Every structure is written in C-alpha cells, then in structure tokens.
Short mmCIF file of all heavy atoms in Angstrom, two decimals:
data_model
loop_
_atom_site.label_atom_id
_atom_site.label_comp_id
_atom_site.label_asym_id
_atom_site.label_seq_id
_atom_site.Cartn_x
_atom_site.Cartn_y
_atom_site.Cartn_z
N ALA A 5 82.74 120.01 117.70
CA ALA A 5 82.98 121.44 117.75
C ALA A 5 81.68 122.23 117.79
O ALA A 5 81.56 123.21 118.42
CB ALA A 5 83.81 121.87 116.48
N GLU A 6 80.66 121.73 117.03
CA GLU A 6 79.40 122.34 117.00
C GLU A 6 78.72 122.25 118.44
O GLU A 6 77.96 123.04 118.78
CB GLU A 6 78.47 121.67 116.01
CG GLU A 6 78.84 121.96 114.59
CD GLU A 6 78.09 121.13 113.57
OE1 GLU A 6 77.42 120.17 113.99
OE2 GLU A 6 78.27 121.28 112.35
N ALA A 7 79.11 121.17 119.23
CA ALA A 7 78.63 120.95 120.57
C ALA A 7 79.31 121.76 121.59
O ALA A 7 79.06 121.64 122.78
CB ALA A 7 78.62 119.49 120.87
N GLY A 8 80.28 122.60 121.13
CA GLY A 8 81.02 123.54 122.04
C GLY A 8 82.27 123.00 122.54
O GLY A 8 82.94 123.68 123.37
N ALA A 9 82.78 121.83 122.17
CA ALA A 9 83.98 121.26 122.71
C ALA A 9 85.19 121.85 121.99
O ALA A 9 85.16 122.40 120.95
CB ALA A 9 83.97 119.73 122.53
N ARG A 10 86.35 121.87 122.77
CA ARG A 10 87.63 122.12 122.22
C ARG A 10 88.13 120.77 121.64
O ARG A 10 88.19 119.74 122.34
CB ARG A 10 88.65 122.64 123.28
CG ARG A 10 90.00 122.75 122.73
CD ARG A 10 90.89 123.63 123.75
NE ARG A 10 91.14 122.79 124.97
CZ ARG A 10 92.22 121.95 125.09
NH1 ARG A 10 93.04 121.88 124.16
NH2 ARG A 10 92.31 121.34 126.22
N VAL A 11 88.34 120.73 120.38
CA VAL A 11 88.55 119.46 119.67
C VAL A 11 90.04 119.41 119.12
O VAL A 11 90.46 120.33 118.35
CB VAL A 11 87.62 119.25 118.46
CG1 VAL A 11 87.81 117.94 117.73
CG2 VAL A 11 86.15 119.31 119.02
N THR A 12 90.66 118.30 119.34
CA THR A 12 91.93 117.99 118.77
C THR A 12 91.77 116.74 117.92
O THR A 12 91.31 115.77 118.38
CB THR A 12 93.02 117.74 119.80
OG1 THR A 12 93.17 118.84 120.73
CG2 THR A 12 94.40 117.37 119.23
N LEU A 13 92.06 116.89 116.60
CA LEU A 13 91.80 115.85 115.68
C LEU A 13 93.22 115.36 115.18
O LEU A 13 93.97 116.11 114.51
CB LEU A 13 90.98 116.35 114.47
CG LEU A 13 90.79 115.42 113.24
CD1 LEU A 13 89.97 114.19 113.75
CD2 LEU A 13 90.07 116.17 112.18
N VAL A 14 93.53 114.13 115.53
CA VAL A 14 94.78 113.53 115.07
C VAL A 14 94.38 112.59 113.93
O VAL A 14 93.67 111.61 114.05
CB VAL A 14 95.50 112.75 116.21
CG1 VAL A 14 96.79 112.05 115.65
CG2 VAL A 14 95.75 113.67 117.35
N THR A 15 94.90 112.90 112.71
CA THR A 15 94.49 112.17 111.56
C THR A 15 95.61 111.63 110.72
O THR A 15 96.68 112.27 110.57
CB THR A 15 93.64 113.08 110.64
OG1 THR A 15 93.23 112.37 109.47
CG2 THR A 15 94.36 114.37 110.21
N GLY A 16 95.39 110.43 110.20
CA GLY A 16 96.35 109.81 109.24
C GLY A 16 96.12 110.53 107.88
O GLY A 16 95.42 111.50 107.75
N PRO A 17 96.88 110.07 106.89
CA PRO A 17 96.83 110.69 105.51
C PRO A 17 95.42 110.63 104.88
O PRO A 17 95.01 109.57 104.51
CB PRO A 17 97.84 109.90 104.74
CG PRO A 17 98.77 109.28 105.78
CD PRO A 17 97.80 108.89 106.91
N VAL A 18 94.76 111.74 104.82
CA VAL A 18 93.51 111.85 104.15
C VAL A 18 93.40 113.11 103.40
O VAL A 18 94.30 114.04 103.48
CB VAL A 18 92.31 111.86 105.10
CG1 VAL A 18 92.26 110.51 105.93
CG2 VAL A 18 92.41 112.97 106.15
N PHE A 19 92.44 113.25 102.50
CA PHE A 19 92.25 114.43 101.70
C PHE A 19 90.92 115.07 101.99
O PHE A 19 89.97 115.12 101.17
CB PHE A 19 92.28 114.05 100.16
CG PHE A 19 93.64 113.38 99.76
CD1 PHE A 19 93.73 112.04 99.62
CD2 PHE A 19 94.75 114.16 99.53
CE1 PHE A 19 94.94 111.39 99.37
CE2 PHE A 19 95.92 113.54 99.13
CZ PHE A 19 96.02 112.21 99.11
N LEU A 20 90.83 115.56 103.18
CA LEU A 20 89.63 116.22 103.71
C LEU A 20 89.91 117.61 104.28
O LEU A 20 90.99 117.72 104.91
CB LEU A 20 89.01 115.35 104.84
CG LEU A 20 88.46 113.97 104.35
CD1 LEU A 20 88.01 113.07 105.57
CD2 LEU A 20 87.24 114.09 103.38
N PRO A 21 89.01 118.52 104.10
CA PRO A 21 89.25 119.85 104.70
C PRO A 21 89.09 119.77 106.27
O PRO A 21 88.34 118.99 106.77
CB PRO A 21 88.20 120.72 104.14
CG PRO A 21 87.05 119.77 103.74
CD PRO A 21 87.79 118.50 103.35
N THR A 22 89.85 120.55 106.97
CA THR A 22 89.78 120.61 108.37
C THR A 22 88.44 121.36 108.78
O THR A 22 88.18 122.43 108.39
CB THR A 22 90.95 121.44 108.99
OG1 THR A 22 92.12 120.90 108.49
CG2 THR A 22 90.97 121.35 110.42
N PRO A 23 87.68 120.74 109.74
CA PRO A 23 86.44 121.43 110.19
C PRO A 23 86.71 122.65 110.93
O PRO A 23 87.84 122.83 111.49
CB PRO A 23 85.83 120.36 111.10
CG PRO A 23 86.44 118.97 110.67
CD PRO A 23 87.80 119.31 110.22
N ASP A 24 85.82 123.55 110.87
CA ASP A 24 85.91 124.80 111.54
C ASP A 24 86.16 124.68 113.06
O ASP A 24 85.50 123.80 113.65
CB ASP A 24 84.75 125.72 111.22
CG ASP A 24 84.88 127.15 111.68
OD1 ASP A 24 86.03 127.66 111.61
OD2 ASP A 24 83.91 127.78 112.09
N ARG A 25 87.01 125.41 113.68
CA ARG A 25 87.30 125.42 115.16
C ARG A 25 87.90 124.06 115.63
O ARG A 25 87.70 123.68 116.72
CB ARG A 25 86.09 125.80 115.91
CG ARG A 25 85.57 127.23 115.61
CD ARG A 25 84.17 127.39 116.24
NE ARG A 25 83.16 126.58 115.55
CZ ARG A 25 81.97 126.43 115.88
NH1 ARG A 25 81.56 126.88 117.14
NH2 ARG A 25 81.10 125.66 115.26
N VAL A 26 88.60 123.37 114.77
CA VAL A 26 89.23 122.09 115.18
C VAL A 26 90.63 122.17 114.91
O VAL A 26 91.13 122.66 113.92
CB VAL A 26 88.59 120.92 114.31
CG1 VAL A 26 89.47 119.66 114.51
CG2 VAL A 26 87.10 120.68 114.65
N GLN A 27 91.48 121.80 115.98
CA GLN A 27 92.89 121.72 115.87
C GLN A 27 93.26 120.40 115.18
O GLN A 27 92.96 119.33 115.77
CB GLN A 27 93.59 121.91 117.20
CG GLN A 27 95.07 121.77 117.17
CD GLN A 27 95.73 121.73 118.45
OE1 GLN A 27 95.09 121.55 119.56
NE2 GLN A 27 97.09 121.79 118.51
N ARG A 28 93.94 120.49 114.01
CA ARG A 28 94.18 119.28 113.35
C ARG A 28 95.73 118.89 113.45
O ARG A 28 96.58 119.78 113.29
CB ARG A 28 93.84 119.48 111.87
CG ARG A 28 94.25 118.26 110.90
CD ARG A 28 93.71 118.50 109.58
NE ARG A 28 94.18 117.50 108.58
CZ ARG A 28 93.65 117.45 107.37
NH1 ARG A 28 92.66 118.19 107.00
NH2 ARG A 28 94.15 116.49 106.60
N ILE A 29 96.06 117.68 113.66
CA ILE A 29 97.46 117.21 113.75
C ILE A 29 97.54 116.03 112.69
O ILE A 29 96.85 115.08 112.91
CB ILE A 29 97.79 116.82 115.11
CG1 ILE A 29 97.62 117.88 116.16
CG2 ILE A 29 99.26 116.20 115.15
CD1 ILE A 29 97.83 117.49 117.61
N ASP A 30 98.43 116.25 111.73
CA ASP A 30 98.60 115.23 110.74
C ASP A 30 99.68 114.31 111.05
O ASP A 30 100.81 114.76 111.48
CB ASP A 30 98.85 115.86 109.33
CG ASP A 30 97.66 116.51 108.73
OD1 ASP A 30 96.67 115.83 108.35
OD2 ASP A 30 97.55 117.80 108.76
N VAL A 31 99.46 113.03 111.00
CA VAL A 31 100.43 111.93 111.23
C VAL A 31 100.47 110.98 110.10
O VAL A 31 99.61 110.97 109.22
CB VAL A 31 100.23 111.26 112.58
CG1 VAL A 31 100.27 112.28 113.74
CG2 VAL A 31 98.87 110.56 112.54
N VAL A 32 101.40 110.06 110.20
CA VAL A 32 101.56 109.03 109.09
C VAL A 32 101.40 107.65 109.65
O VAL A 32 100.39 106.88 109.29
CB VAL A 32 102.86 109.15 108.34
CG1 VAL A 32 102.91 108.00 107.29
CG2 VAL A 32 102.94 110.48 107.57
N SER A 33 102.22 107.18 110.53
CA SER A 33 102.23 105.85 111.10
C SER A 33 101.42 105.75 112.42
O SER A 33 101.05 106.80 113.02
CB SER A 33 103.63 105.37 111.32
OG SER A 33 104.22 106.10 112.41
N ALA A 34 101.26 104.52 112.82
CA ALA A 34 100.59 104.24 114.13
C ALA A 34 101.39 104.81 115.33
O ALA A 34 100.77 105.37 116.26
CB ALA A 34 100.41 102.73 114.24
N ARG A 35 102.71 104.63 115.23
CA ARG A 35 103.55 105.22 116.25
C ARG A 35 103.47 106.69 116.30
O ARG A 35 103.48 107.32 117.44
CB ARG A 35 105.02 104.73 116.19
CG ARG A 35 105.12 103.18 116.54
CD ARG A 35 106.55 102.73 116.25
NE ARG A 35 106.90 102.67 114.84
CZ ARG A 35 108.03 102.30 114.33
NH1 ARG A 35 109.02 102.06 115.22
NH2 ARG A 35 108.33 102.27 113.04
N ASP A 36 103.39 107.34 115.10
CA ASP A 36 103.23 108.84 115.08
C ASP A 36 101.95 109.18 115.72
O ASP A 36 101.81 110.22 116.50
CB ASP A 36 103.17 109.31 113.64
CG ASP A 36 104.56 109.06 112.91
OD1 ASP A 36 105.55 108.98 113.58
OD2 ASP A 36 104.53 109.09 111.65
N MET A 37 100.87 108.46 115.45
CA MET A 37 99.52 108.80 115.98
C MET A 37 99.53 108.68 117.55
O MET A 37 98.96 109.50 118.24
CB MET A 37 98.48 107.83 115.40
CG MET A 37 97.04 108.16 115.76
SD MET A 37 95.73 107.40 114.78
CE MET A 37 95.79 108.34 113.30
N LEU A 38 100.15 107.58 118.09
CA LEU A 38 100.16 107.43 119.45
C LEU A 38 100.91 108.59 120.12
O LEU A 38 100.47 109.12 121.17
CB LEU A 38 100.87 106.11 119.82
CG LEU A 38 101.09 105.84 121.36
CD1 LEU A 38 99.77 105.91 122.07
CD2 LEU A 38 101.77 104.49 121.53
N ALA A 39 102.07 109.00 119.55
CA ALA A 39 102.86 110.04 120.13
C ALA A 39 102.12 111.43 120.13
O ALA A 39 102.00 112.12 121.14
CB ALA A 39 104.15 110.24 119.36
N ALA A 40 101.32 111.66 119.03
CA ALA A 40 100.51 112.85 118.90
C ALA A 40 99.43 112.88 119.92
O ALA A 40 99.07 113.90 120.53
CB ALA A 40 100.01 113.00 117.54
N CYS A 41 98.76 111.66 120.15
CA CYS A 41 97.67 111.57 121.06
C CYS A 41 98.20 111.77 122.54
O CYS A 41 97.58 112.51 123.29
CB CYS A 41 97.00 110.22 121.02
SG CYS A 41 95.93 110.02 119.55
N GLU A 42 99.32 111.17 122.84
CA GLU A 42 99.92 111.37 124.14
C GLU A 42 100.27 112.78 124.49
O GLU A 42 100.04 113.27 125.54
CB GLU A 42 101.11 110.40 124.36
CG GLU A 42 100.70 108.91 124.45
CD GLU A 42 101.85 108.04 124.67
OE1 GLU A 42 102.94 108.31 124.12
OE2 GLU A 42 101.66 107.05 125.42
N ALA A 43 100.69 113.49 123.45
CA ALA A 43 101.10 114.92 123.58
C ALA A 43 99.84 115.82 123.80
O ALA A 43 99.96 116.89 124.34
CB ALA A 43 101.92 115.38 122.34
N ALA A 44 98.72 115.30 123.22
CA ALA A 44 97.49 116.16 123.29
C ALA A 44 96.76 115.88 124.62
O ALA A 44 95.84 116.61 124.95
CB ALA A 44 96.59 115.75 122.13
N MET A 45 97.15 114.88 125.39
CA MET A 45 96.54 114.61 126.64
C MET A 45 96.90 115.66 127.71
O MET A 45 97.90 116.38 127.60
CB MET A 45 97.02 113.20 127.18
CG MET A 45 96.52 112.00 126.28
SD MET A 45 94.78 111.77 126.39
CE MET A 45 94.62 110.97 127.95
N PRO A 46 96.09 115.94 128.72
CA PRO A 46 94.85 115.19 128.95
C PRO A 46 93.64 115.62 128.25
O PRO A 46 93.66 116.69 127.68
CB PRO A 46 94.67 115.50 130.55
CG PRO A 46 95.18 116.87 130.67
CD PRO A 46 96.31 116.92 129.77
#
C-alpha cells in the first residue's frame, strides 16, 4: 500500500490490525481462502 498499490488482503484467523488503505477479507478454511482469492481476481 505504501508503494501505491491497490491491495486486497485475504487472511486467516489472526489478531492484527488492518493496515491503512488495505481491503481485508477474513476467512477461516483453505477452501474459504481459495474462494475469496478467486473472487478478488484478476
């Protein structure tokens, strides 16, 4: 994000604050993560 990119962050269960200017998508399982990534493409 600091480098100027539009960032989509797909993350499993963690306890971290979302970085500024980053779109965060929370998932649980591997299949959830794959579905979220495919939805965020291209």
Side-chain angles (χ1 to χ4, degrees):
E6 290 169 355
R10 176 169 68 90
V11 180
T12 302
L13 175 63
V14 180
T15 177
V18 296
F19 301 96
L20 296 172
T22 305
D24 191 33
R25 295 169 293 168
V26 169
Q27 180 190 6
R28 174 174 175 170
I29 301 171
D30 289 289
V31 298
V32 176
S33 70
R35 288 176 292 176
D36 295 338
M37 183 170 284
L38 175 58
C41 288
E42 290 182 322
M45 295 290 283

